[in-house]
Amino acid sequence: MKILTAIPVHNEEAHLEDVLRQVLRHAGDVLAVDDGSTDRTPELLARFPEVRVIRHETNLGYGAGLRSAFAAALDGGYDGLVTLDCDGQHEPALIPEIAAGLADADVVSGSRYLKVFDPSQAPPEERRKINVEVTRWLNECLGLNLTDAFCGFKAYDRKALECFEITDLGYAMPLQVWVQAVRHGLRVVEKAVPLIYLDESRAFGGALDDSTYRLNHYREVFADAVRRAGLEVAGGCLG
């Protein structure tokens, strides 16, 4: 399979060079989507001529970065796409394993909760609580069997990419992906990946930093995605 590996990037000068060096050891075609970075990220990206760069002149959001990666994979004639974040949370050495999962699935989603790799690692409590709640929605409302709603380490085959119509440009974008995956009958599997938190103080930005607001926002985006997809879900599954 012809695979593109893409990394959404926004103000990642602290981690960018190390992540790219590791990714280039384990992936062929690599794309960085610079979502309007205002730090040294553009300068650092220029040091990696083998990495293709798409630049958003203004910051549009995490979902916008992934949407650009989806389009690049389709336009480039790739059979599949691997995505990972640029904050050091994902191990690039696992890229081949995640991509190999596409032999049996349309979407391969990393899970930080399928297996404990390092008992000393733990997610911020409020983030874990929200992940658990949203994962419950996905399982009870959509009939999925997931353990991690928000892991950014994923692989998609071309069939999946052609199905997605992403309109949410922010951190709720994965909820649209899950709903549309179910709507189109895509095969979904999870692969265990290590739980790594290098900076627990990282913020979402704006109102999303309030956990109650963030959970309510996710609920609204999910409910809207379900409605748009015309799916019938169990009553009360959103709590």
Side-chain angles (χ1 to χ4, degrees):
M1 294 181 73
K2 182 183 177 184
I3 301 291
L4 176 66
T5 298
I7 311 167
V9 177
H10 176 65
N11 289 347
E12 290 289 359
E13 63 181 7
H15 302 287
L16 180 65
E17 290 182 290
D18 183 54
V19 168
L20 286 181
R21 289 191 194 99
Q22 293 185 56
V23 167
L24 289 167
R25 294 190 190 107
H26 302 284
D29 294 349
V30 179
L31 167 71
V33 181
D34 179 7
D35 188 36
S37 294
T38 56
D39 64 356
R40 295 176 59 239
T41 291
E43 173 191 339
L44 299 178
L45 283 171
R47 299 179 182 178
F48 294 86
E50 63 270 64
V51 175
R52 179 187 169 195
V53 177
I54 293 175
R55 165 80 177 175
H56 297 166
E57 290 306 318
T58 59
N59 178 234
L60 301 176
Y62 178 74
L66 289 174
R67 186 173 70 171
S68 290
F70 291 178
L74 290 173
D75 293 346
Y78 290 91
D79 301 305
L81 171 71
V82 173
T83 64
L84 69 162
D85 296 340
C86 194
D87 55 6
Q89 287 195 39
H90 303 145
E91 292 193 357
L94 295 176
I95 290 172
E97 181 178 337
I98 295 291
L102 293 177
D104 301 307
D106 301 307
V107 179
V108 181
S109 187
S111 171
R112 297 159 290 182
Y113 306 112
L114 268 176
K115 175 182 176 181
V116 176
F117 290 83
D118 181 354
S120 70
Q121 283 283 340
E125 184 177 357
E126 67 157 31
R127 294 195 183 199
R128 179 61 176 139
K129 285 182 177 178
I130 289 177
N131 196 325
V132 167
E133 177 65 6
V134 175
T135 300
R136 182 186 68 78
W137 301 344
L138 299 177
N139 294 337
E140 294 185 9
C141 297
L142 301 180
L144 291 169
N145 186 28
L146 300 175
T147 59
D148 191 347
F150 285 114
C151 184
F153 203 173
K154 285 183 167 62
Y156 309 87
D157 68 7
R158 188 174 184 88
K159 174 185 174 182
L161 297 175
E162 289 172 343
C163 290
F164 297 145
E165 296 181 7
I166 303 303
T167 59
D168 190 281
L169 304 185
Y171 288 107
M173 170 267 194
L175 301 179
Q176 292 187 330
V177 166
W178 290 124
V179 170
Q180 292 174 26
V182 170
R183 166 67 179 80
H184 293 284
L186 301 182
R187 299 166 298 164
V188 176
V189 299
E190 283 190 316
K191 293 283 188 181
V193 299
L195 172 67
I196 303 171
Y197 272 94
L198 300 180
D199 182 4
E200 295 189 10
S201 66
R202 287 176 68 96
F204 290 89
L208 289 179
D209 286 332
D210 179 86
S211 60
T212 299
Y213 178 92
R214 189 163 72 251
L215 184 61
N216 287 335
H217 173 65
Y218 289 161
R219 183 181 285 106
E220 291 173 1
V221 171
F222 179 66
D224 181 67
V226 168
R227 179 184 60 79
R228 288 173 179 265
L231 297 176
E232 294 186 7
V233 300
C237 64
L238 282 176

